[in-house]
């Protein structure tokens, strides 16, 4: 019998990677209530699957199973944990195409970007499989002749994660990989808009030999209820969240009651600065990559583009040419470079920022309206004459809208770039070495891209300052958030 998943499954080498059950304590389960929620294809507007809408009590069962599985997992030699992660990495890459098709079908990004995200997510599993073997302690010369001091690092225990829809694979991998590498157990609640990628990852984790109960994917349409379970359940020792600053604040307040260790990867408002000594062609290439990746739906997208007065018109003209080469369409169609926005509310927000900018003197250079394809497709848009009193100057657009601000000098643009509550990613193009050093040090951000618009990698510490978050993900620092440091003082 044909069902709603037939079309998606027909595109896959492994149709079994489309999972319509939640992965709870090592079992594939429906909600006891039978409740489910629909997963939509944002390009086509059709339902591609239904997944269980688990209750808070059923999520608690996943947490119980995690607690049971964690101690034996932590007792394994790091090398043995590493082998399982390596196998999981291998399976993710062997099934990269299927995972990408599933991702594009539920999130909308072009297939080429989805393939890239699968490889990016898998790179965290590979990286932390290696880092698992490199957890080091310390010995310290005793403060008294009869004392010996050692410092060791131990896994924190059961970790819980809540992830967004914009990178439905990589944002989970960036959390579960260091957690398992450190010897923790992990329960994740993926965004309700994009649960299929997470469930497919769980399927491959099971095949890789991740022990029953160690990793659960709890699907739910009630984010706040599950968030409360994660924050209030005494078994959970660590909460990791990627999403908006607004929700991050809610979770931090809820987690405070248990003084829970939290990692927060939150909102951004990235400045992208083009100085008059920049290579303008390189800057345009970087702006396209940085602004329009995932259709502008990333926390590290350029949200404000500042161009020095002397090169403003030349840069704007070059950027217009590049933007008009972008192809809007279904992410599964060949040649698409911009997919749909994730949901109607996202279209509304882009339109709101555009209307506000035009009402305050902005001028459309290209784009400027919902695409002829209708639905959730929007034309990639450049607006010139942007000013700091516009909404786009303070709020994250999260869409294909590029406002060009003009600036006079370095001090002026540094002040404007830093004038935000956010501090995640920032970018600038310049050649003068002294200027590059000064500006990189002056920008109040966790990440600075110099002459590049792409900074995402598993080998570097990703995270923000100010209200863009707490902690770092990826790099040799990435496991610290899943471990506790213990100081042992021995009298002899
Ligand atoms: N710093 C970073 O690395 C990243 C930051 N972001 C930021 O997130 C925003 C876009 O992502 P978006 O998904 O809309 O962000 P949201 O913060 O709305 O949602 C993120 C996740 O949190 C869940 N959630 C929402 N409300 C609550 C709650 N009260 N308690 C517990 N969980 C909750 C959502 O569930 P559901 O969707 O099912 O409602 C989703 O799974 C942007 O601001 C972007 O900058 C996004 C990705 C990466
Ligand atoms: O969700 C996001 O925006 C990601 O954190 C950005 S990245 O890590 O893919 O650059």
């Amino acid at each position: 019998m044909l069902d709603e998943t037939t079309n998606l499954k027909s595109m896959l080498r492994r149709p079994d990677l489309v999972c319509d059950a939640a992965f709870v304590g090592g079992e594939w389960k429906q909600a006891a209530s039978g409740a489910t929620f629909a997963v939509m294809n944002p390009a086509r507007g059709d339902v591609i699957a239904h997944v269980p809408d688990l209750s808070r009590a059923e999520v608690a069962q996943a947490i119980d199973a995690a607690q049971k599985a964690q101690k034996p997992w932590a007792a394994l030699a790091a090398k043995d944990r590493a082998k399982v992660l390596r196998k999981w990495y291998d399976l993710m890459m062997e099934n990269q195409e299927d995972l990408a098709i599933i991702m594009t079908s539920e999130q909308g990004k072009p297939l080429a970007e989805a393939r890239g995200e699968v490889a990016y997510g898998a790179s965290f599993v590979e990286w932390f499989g290696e880092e698992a073997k490199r957890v080091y302690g310390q010995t310290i010369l005793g403060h008294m002749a009869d004392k010996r001091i050692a410092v060791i690092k131990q896994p924190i225990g059961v970790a819980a994660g809540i992830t967004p829809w914009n990178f439905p694979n990589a944002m989970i991998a960036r959390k579960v990989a260091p957690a398992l590498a450190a010897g923790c157990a992990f329960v994740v609640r993926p965004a309700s808009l994009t649960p299929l990628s997470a469930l497919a990852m769980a399927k491959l984790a099971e095949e890789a030999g991740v022990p029953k109960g160690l990793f659960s994917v709890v699907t739910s349409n009630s984010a706040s209820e599950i968030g409360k379970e994660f924050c209030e359940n005494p078994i959970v020792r660590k909460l990791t969240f990627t999403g908006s600053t607004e929700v991050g604040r809610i979770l931090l307040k809820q987690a405070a009651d248990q003084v829970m260790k939290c990692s927060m990867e939150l909102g951004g408002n990235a400045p992208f600065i083009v100085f008059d000594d920049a290579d303008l062609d390189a800057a345009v290439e970087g702006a396209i990559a940085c602004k329009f990746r995932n259709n502008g739906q990333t926390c590290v997208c350029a949200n404000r583009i500042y161009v020095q007065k002397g090169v403003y018109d030349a840069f704007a003209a070059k950027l217009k040419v590049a933007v008009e080469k972008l192809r809007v369409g279904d992410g599964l169609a060949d040649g698409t470079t911009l997919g749909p926005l994730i949901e109607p509310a996202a279209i509304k927000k882009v339109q709101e920022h555009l209307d506000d900018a035009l009402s305050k003197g902005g001028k459309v250079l290209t784009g400027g309206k919902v695409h002829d394809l209708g639905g959730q497709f929007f034309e990639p848009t450049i607006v010139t004459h942007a000013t700091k009193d516009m909404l786009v100057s303070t709020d994250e657009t999260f869409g294909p809208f590029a406002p060009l601000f003009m600036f006079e000098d370095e001090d002026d643009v540094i002040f404007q770039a830093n004038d935000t509550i956010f501090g995640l990613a920032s970018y600038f193009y310049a050649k003068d070495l002294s200027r590059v050093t000064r500006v990189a040090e002056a920008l109040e951000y966790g990440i600075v891209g110099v002459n590049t618009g792409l900074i995402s990698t598993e080998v570097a510490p990703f995270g923000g300052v100010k209200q863009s978050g707490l902690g770092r993900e990826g790099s040799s620092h990435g496991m610290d958030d899943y471990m506790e440091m213990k100081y042992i003082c021995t009298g002899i």
Side-chain angles (χ1 to χ4, degrees), residues 37 161-167 171 174-175 189-194 220-228 230-231 239 241-248 250-251 254 264-269 294 296-301 342-343 349 396-398 422 424 447 462-464 468-469 473:
F37 59 92
I162 299 171
T163 51
W165 48 263
N166 61 345
F167 288 84
M171 291 308 97
R174 197 159 78 177
K175 299 172 187 308
R189 188 246 175 226
S192 54
L193 290 170
T194 54
S220 149
N221 208 18
S222 164
S224 59
E225 274 305 293
I226 306 313
K228 285 174 186 160
F230 285 169
C231 293
L239 176 69
F241 171 71
T242 295
S244 63
T245 294
E246 178 194 354
V247 173
I250 293 170
L251 292 169
Q254 291 174 179
M264 293 281 149
E265 293 292 351
L266 305 177
N269 180 1
N294 201 7
Q297 300 172 117
T298 94
C299 57
V300 292
C301 277
I342 188 69
E343 58 184 344
K349 185 170 188 184
E396 194 174 33
T397 305
F398 236 54
F422 297 105
L424 185 56
I447 304 167
F462 184 105
S468 283
E473 295 188 315

